[in-house]
Amino acid sequence: MIISDLGQELAQLGLGLLRALPFMIGYVLLILLFALVWRLVKRALTPRRDFTSLKTVTFGDESAVVSNTVASVISVVVVFLLWGAFTGSALLPRFLHAPGPFIGQGSFTYTVEAADGRRDDARVDVTVYDKDGVVDPAAVAPGEGIAKDDSIALQAYRSKLLLWDANDEVTRKDGARIVAIDGKPVGPGGEVETAIGRVAVTDKGTLNVVPAQGMQMEEIWLPAPEAVWHRLITIWRDGYQNVTLAEHLSYSLFRVVVGFLLGAIVGIPLGYAMGLSDWFRGWFDPIVEFMRPVPPLALIPLVIIWAGIGEQGKIILLFLAALWIMAIAARSGVSGVKISKVHAAYSLGASKVQILRHVIIPNSLPEIFTGARVAMGVCWGTVVAAELVAAEKGIGKMIVAAAKFQSTDIVIMGIILIGVIGFGIDLLMRWAERILVPWKGKG
Amino acid sequence: MSGLAIENISMRFDLPGGASVQALKDVSLTLAPGELLSVLGPSGCGKTTLLNIVAGFLAPTEGRIVLNGHEVKGPDAERGMVFQQGALFEWMNVRENVGFGPSMKGMPAAEKRQIVDHLLEVVGLKDFKEKAVYELSGGMQQRVALARCLANDPDVILMDEPLGALDALTREKMQSLVLKLWKETGKTIILITHSVEEALLLGERLLVMAPRPGRIHKEYRLPFAELGVGKDLRQVKKHPDFARTREEILGMIWDMEEEIMGQPGAGE
Ligand SMILES: Nc1ncnc2c1ncn2[C@@H]1O[C@H](COP(=O)(O)OP(=O)(O)OP(=O)(O)O)[C@@H](O)[C@H]1O
Ligand SMILES: [Mg+2]
């Protein structure tokens, strides 16, 4: 039962992947294309030979592979280009846009066969307008024959049913039915590609007009980059739902910083105790080892039950998220001290307290910093998730609220902000690490 | 009575599962103040264990260590230690590393500075005072380790393969430095090495140990350390006795190694 269900899911997934495959291949080709272009440009520009260019073995030589800045820049630019191209961004010249939806006028013909076998063709004039400009259906002369010409107007990306027999001499009630569209034979349930898009015959015999959608994304799925940017500016100025963006962000950051600091203040001494005393180690090992694999997100429901959706609950959650990481980092920092360093300190006359202060603690700092970086990352992820579930303010809260109103531009803006801030936190931690523990990895 | 006495030391390590290793058996030795002893022996014969017992990091299962009339109970600043590598504190610069012992004792800053400056001058690192230790070469790091040990003015200096990780040329310079420091400071030194040449050059007395159980196999008294002080060590190596003793000891160690290889997995 479960197996067959899962099998179906897997098949669905496979199908989706298969559909995405051409796009992925296209993207890879794009990467290779730029690589080739850059190689040619570089060869043309710089005859310079550095050490790496003298190496014949670069594949598998880790030191020969450093991140290529040009590739990084192009990569980011391409992301925005693709985004703009597939949303019809006004920032890009038209020729870079992916094919857009059909907008304008066109027509198709349908062929009716009456119950007694008579046949006649009729023309349908189609007007497709975009969401900003509603247009009425064009007036048409009905024309000759048993089937009369029709007209229809509809919005891009939408479909519309056409009751073709409303003005015809023979109707579906009389047994008349559509046998061809644009001359191509079709029956109920079938469809035909026409100049304006797909035209399908429904099971009941009416026509369903689906104008061509092109390859661009509709705004409610993915807004153009400039729309997101404008949204950022207006929200920055006016706030969203009476809360300013700065307030949303500072609530989230406040929770992370306080939760992390509490976690570090408790976790580091706990880790030291575990690293220095077998009793503490034995006492806390089961607890830490059990809590470590529990993702903090899994604690959200419990924390909400216990502490509600206020600040306390969230800070407890982040405290727990940081606590185990910091405790484990401190513990391994202590147990990672080389015994020869401790021995050296002892035979230089240091007391136990002095060894703790001058050897064990400094020796554990690099590990603790690594732990702190991980903990900050986890806390940032956890706070956003917790706010998605329940909060009054916070960047996560802002994007779920926006999602309820289909404000995709705000959702995307929020996601980008979350990413940028997460990245900024990591940069900050790395910078602090470089300044405060320059001996990291040099032991 | 002054000097270092190693009295009937035995060391047995109990292994998980009930087995045990007899790392040392009934090792006895006395060193007068200012003597320089080098220790040789095949791998696993208990050299490090012996040194750790003298340093006070390990308590022997039997026997005791007596230094200047009192029994050794644990590590202490009177017995300094120089390790092979990686025992410097990389969170301190060269000056702080060398001044570590005096700082722990709470020595006044001015006095400490004098000692540190003097020792860095002696080991030839006076221009590297403020450098981070991980920026130094391996040989320079060992000089810092020597200076750090001397800053405490210990009675005995214990060295476990202090030059083992250095290249041949640096090693030779360091050997001269060790001899110079020995002569100038008059310390009692025990030096473990894997190099027979180094043991000959740096040993007033030389101990060859045998494995399973670890014990003293043979002891030599050698003239080369005295000859080498302030001289080119390559000249000393040309001494006729040098090559002869070297061959004799090499043969001895070879035989022991063969014996070990011949009975794999044997031993207590
Ligand atoms: N902590 C320990 N637990 C169990 N066995 C040990 C321990 N320390 C040393 N031994 C055993 O004692 C013996 C002597 O070890 P030791 O390290 O003193 O040898 P060594 O002569 O210094 O060797 P090497 O020249 O390779 O440094 C070895 O058989 C080793 O396996
Ligand atoms: Mg050893």
Side-chain angles (χ1 to χ4, degrees):
Chain A
M1 197 47 207
I2 296 176
I3 299 283
S4 75
D5 281 358
L6 292 180
Q8 263 172 28
E9 295 290 335
L10 203 64
Q12 289 271 321
L13 190 70
L15 216 65
L17 278 177
L18 217 60
R19 269 195 220 118
L21 203 61
F23 291 96
M24 295 196 236
I25 292 173
Y27 187 63
V28 171
L29 289 180
L30 203 62
I31 297 174
L32 295 178
L33 177 76
F34 275 113
L36 192 71
V37 170
W38 173 244
R39 176 173 288 191
L40 294 179
V41 169
K42 198 173 161 191
R43 187 168 301 165
L45 289 183
T46 51
R48 173 180 65 101
R49 291 157 66 97
D50 57 13
F51 175 61
T52 308
S53 75
L54 294 176
K55 286 188 179 182
T56 52
V57 178
T58 55
F59 185 74
D61 177 358
E62 198 198 349
S63 68
V65 178
V66 290
S67 166
N68 187 324
T69 323
V70 176
S72 304
V73 171
I74 296 180
S75 148
V76 173
V77 170
V78 163
V79 166
F80 280 91
L81 275 181
L82 289 176
W83 182 5
F86 282 92
T87 51
S89 164
L91 299 174
L92 289 184
R94 271 234 118 95
F95 70 93
L96 282 177
H97 287 177
F102 175 81
I103 288 179
Q105 296 191 326
S107 66
F108 63 92
T109 60
Y110 63 90
T111 310
V112 179
E113 187 180 287
D116 54 13
R118 283 178 297 157
R119 283 191 176 213
D120 190 18
D121 289 351
R123 208 166 79 111
V124 180
D125 283 338
V126 181
T127 309
V128 182
Y129 51 85
D130 72 10
K131 66 180 194 324
D132 305 323
V134 182
V135 177
D136 288 329
V140 287
E144 297 301 314
I146 54 168
K148 302 284 188 268
D149 294 350
D150 297 274
S151 77
I152 185 175
L154 73 176
Q155 189 184 327
Y157 296 114
R158 306 284 178 268
S159 62
K160 204 168 186 180
L161 287 177
L162 174 67
L163 298 171
W164 51 271
D165 52 357
N167 60 351
D168 292 1
E169 281 170 19
V170 288
T171 64
R172 280 175 293 155
K173 270 204 210 105
D174 308 330
R177 55 193 183 85
I178 289 189
V179 292
I181 292 169
D182 273 359
K184 290 171 204 142
V186 68
E191 58 179 43
V192 169
E193 285 293 334
T194 72
I196 55 105
R198 271 185 301 126
V199 179
V201 182
T202 66
D203 292 337
K204 285 184 176 160
T206 54
L207 289 174
N208 189 25
V209 182
V210 187
Q213 305 202 339
M215 290 174 72
Q216 292 187 7
M217 304 281 281
E218 215 182 330
E219 192 160 350
I220 58 160
W221 302 121
L222 180 66
E226 70 268 21
V228 173
W229 175 248
H230 289 141
R231 200 47 117 132
L232 174 64
I233 292 172
T234 50
I235 298 238
W236 181 255
R237 209 177 37 209
D238 309 333
Y240 182 65
Q241 294 183 340
N242 297 324
V243 182
T244 64
L245 188 57
E247 205 170 344
H248 279 305
L249 287 176
S250 29
Y251 265 84
S252 298
L253 280 172
F254 166 79
R255 291 165 185 152
V256 167
V257 170
V258 173
F260 167 77
L261 285 181
L262 289 178
I265 288 171
V266 178
I268 294 173
L270 177 64
Y272 279 146
M274 288 174 73
L276 293 170
S277 141
D278 61 343
W279 183 256
F280 276 89
R281 179 82 174 243
W283 188 281
F284 283 107
D285 249 354
I287 301 177
V288 170
E289 293 304 329
F290 174 75
M291 288 306 291
R292 176 165 66 165
V294 177
L297 300 184
L299 299 173
I300 294 178
L302 186 65
V303 167
I304 290 178
I305 292 174
W306 282 355
I309 68 163
E311 292 313 301
Q312 273 177 17
K314 265 166 223 82
I315 286 174
I316 292 174
L317 187 70
L318 296 182
F319 164 73
L320 290 175
L323 177 66
W324 312 120
I325 298 176
M326 294 312 292
I328 288 166
R331 184 186 72 186
S332 68
V334 171
S335 17
V337 63
K338 260 198 197 160
I339 190 63
S340 59
K341 288 195 171 68
V342 175
H343 279 171
Y346 269 122
S347 56
L348 288 167
S351 66
K352 279 187 179 171
V353 177
Q354 286 173 323
I355 285 179
L356 180 66
R357 160 80 184 76
H358 295 288
V359 181
I360 290 175
I361 290 182
N363 186 76
S364 67
L365 286 183
E367 286 264 11
I368 288 181
F369 260 89
T370 308
R373 251 177 76 193
V374 175
M376 274 304 245
V378 170
C379 280
W380 183 240
T382 306
V383 79
V384 172
E387 289 167 357
L388 292 179
V389 178
E392 303 196 325
K393 286 166 189 168
I395 185 75
K397 161 69 188 172
M398 188 185 87
I399 63 177
V400 264
K404 285 207 186 96
F405 296 97
Q406 299 259 20
S407 306
T408 317
D409 46 0
I410 299 184
V411 173
I412 289 183
M413 178 197 87
I415 291 171
I416 294 177
L417 277 180
I418 290 168
V420 167
I421 291 175
F423 184 60
I425 290 176
D426 198 56
L427 278 188
L428 207 69
M429 298 296 285
R430 272 195 252 180
W431 172 79
E433 192 175 70
R434 242 193 349 266
I435 302 294
L436 296 174
V437 285
W439 64 88
K440 181 175 184 190
K442 305 278 174 54
Chain B
M1 56 166 279
S2 64
L4 179 71
I6 297 171
E7 298 178 357
N8 308 96
I9 293 289
S10 291
M11 186 75 201
R12 207 180 58 245
F13 289 108
D14 292 322
L15 301 177
S20 65
V21 182
Q22 188 77 40
L24 290 173
K25 187 156 189 200
D26 201 22
V27 174
S28 294
L29 177 82
T30 51
L31 278 178
E35 271 190 318
L36 173 53
L37 171 77
S38 59
V39 182
L40 265 179
S43 188
C45 69
K47 306 182 292 291
T48 300
T49 306
L50 181 63
L51 209 69
N52 281 342
I53 291 172
V54 176
F57 304 142
L58 285 173
T61 33
E62 278 162 58
R64 57 179 202 155
I65 307 289
V66 179
L67 176 62
N68 299 333
H70 64 264
E71 192 178 334
V72 164
K73 292 287 186 199
D76 190 284
E78 68 189 4
R79 280 158 283 125
M81 187 96 181
V82 178
F83 295 86
Q84 178 170 13
Q85 228 187 8
L88 293 178
F89 307 130
E90 62 267 17
W91 46 91
M92 297 177 182
N93 63 22
V94 169
R95 182 175 48 74
E96 290 163 333
N97 261 286
V98 175
F100 185 84
S103 294
M104 295 302 106
K105 271 189 268 182
M107 183 184 284
E111 198 180 338
K112 185 174 82 183
R113 163 130 28 97
Q114 214 180 344
I115 292 178
V116 171
D117 285 353
H118 170 68
L119 283 171
L120 284 177
E121 172 103 51
V122 170
V123 299
L125 287 177
K126 69 172 189 301
D127 296 333
F128 295 86
K129 246 179 253 176
E130 304 299 326
K131 273 260 186 325
V133 287
Y134 50 80
E135 291 171 333
L136 304 182
S137 70
M140 289 158 126
Q141 289 185 2
Q142 285 313 81
R143 285 192 246 174
V144 176
L146 274 175
R148 181 175 73 174
C149 180
L150 287 170
N152 248 357
D153 197 22
D155 297 328
V156 179
I157 298 179
L158 308 169
M159 305 193 201
D160 193 354
E161 298 177 41
L163 313 182
L166 304 180
D167 68 277
L169 214 67
T170 316
R171 195 166 180 158
E172 221 173 272
K173 283 191 201 142
M174 291 294 288
Q175 288 165 350
S176 299
L177 178 65
V178 170
L179 280 182
K180 179 179 122 180
L181 291 176
W182 168 60
K183 209 66 217 174
E184 281 177 7
T185 60
K187 303 286 180 203
T188 313
I189 298 178
I190 301 181
L191 180 136
I192 293 178
T193 172
H194 270 136
S195 149
V196 178
E197 264 190 11
E198 186 167 282
L200 291 173
L201 287 171
L202 299 189
E204 218 185 350
R205 293 168 64 186
L206 191 161
L207 213 59
V208 182
M209 289 181 66
R212 305 182 179 216
R215 64 209 126 91
I216 297 176
H217 182 72
K218 189 156 184 189
E219 206 196 313
Y220 291 84
R221 272 184 186 278
L222 301 166
F224 310 117
E226 279 291 351
L227 289 176
V229 173
K231 293 229 189 63
D232 184 354
L233 293 183
R234 258 162 290 178
Q235 292 303 316
V236 179
K237 287 182 200 169
K238 289 188 185 138
H239 196 284
D241 283 350
F242 191 90
R244 193 182 48 73
T245 326
R246 189 183 62 201
E247 290 313 311
E248 184 182 324
I249 294 175
L250 270 176
M252 205 182 294
I253 293 179
W254 261 113
D255 290 346
M256 287 187 229
E257 298 269 12
E258 297 243 291
E259 212 171 300
I260 301 170
M261 295 303 184
Q263 34 175 297
E268 262 170 296

